[in-house]
Amino acid sequence: MSNMLQAHHDLDRVFAANDEMALGAAKALGARSGKDVKVVAFDGTPDGVRAVRAGTLTATVAQQPELLGKQAVDWALRVSRGERLPRTVKVPVVLVTAANAARFGG
């Protein structure tokens, strides 16, 4: 991230593939993170949610692990009964922002 900042002084947005990477970017950005530079991540981990609440990250995308687990068990039960399943199963994600971060703990 430091190299990216040196090469692109006008950087104003960062999207990271996970919260840990976003937190590293936020550290490199310092006081600019979440303010001058919007930082968005994907995971919705407790550390990521805390950073959203603190304003260090602009948002994180919560994968809803409880819902993933519930759906996995439901699908496993359906398979055990011989039911055919779709090739793709979508599980909704939620954008965690300062407005709703309290719902997600952290």
Side-chain angles (χ1 to χ4, degrees):
M1 188 71 211
S2 296
N3 290 342
M4 181 75 74
L5 289 171
Q6 288 175 1
H8 303 281
H9 299 285
D10 59 346
L11 184 80
D12 64 354
R13 291 178 184 84
V14 172
F15 176 77
N18 59 50
D19 287 347
E20 290 75 21
M21 292 169 64
L23 293 169
K27 185 175 181 180
L29 287 162
R32 295 179 61 204
S33 183
K35 294 163 187 60
D36 299 334
V37 181
K38 306 299 182 198
V39 181
V40 177
F42 193 93
D43 272 345
T45 64
D47 286 341
V49 172
R50 276 192 290 276
V52 169
R53 291 175 75 179
T56 306
L57 298 184
T58 305
T60 183
V61 178
Q63 296 187 63
Q64 305 192 87
E66 288 179 16
L67 180 56
L68 285 167
K70 180 187 179 312
Q71 284 192 339
V73 171
D74 289 345
W75 290 105
L77 289 171
R78 290 176 68 177
V79 167
S80 73
R81 293 190 297 259
E83 293 181 38
R84 291 183 54 103
L85 301 180
R87 292 181 62 103
T88 303
V89 177
K90 295 180 181 181
V91 178
V93 295
V94 177
L95 184 64
V96 179
T97 65
N100 65 357
R103 274 188 26 210
F104 294 89

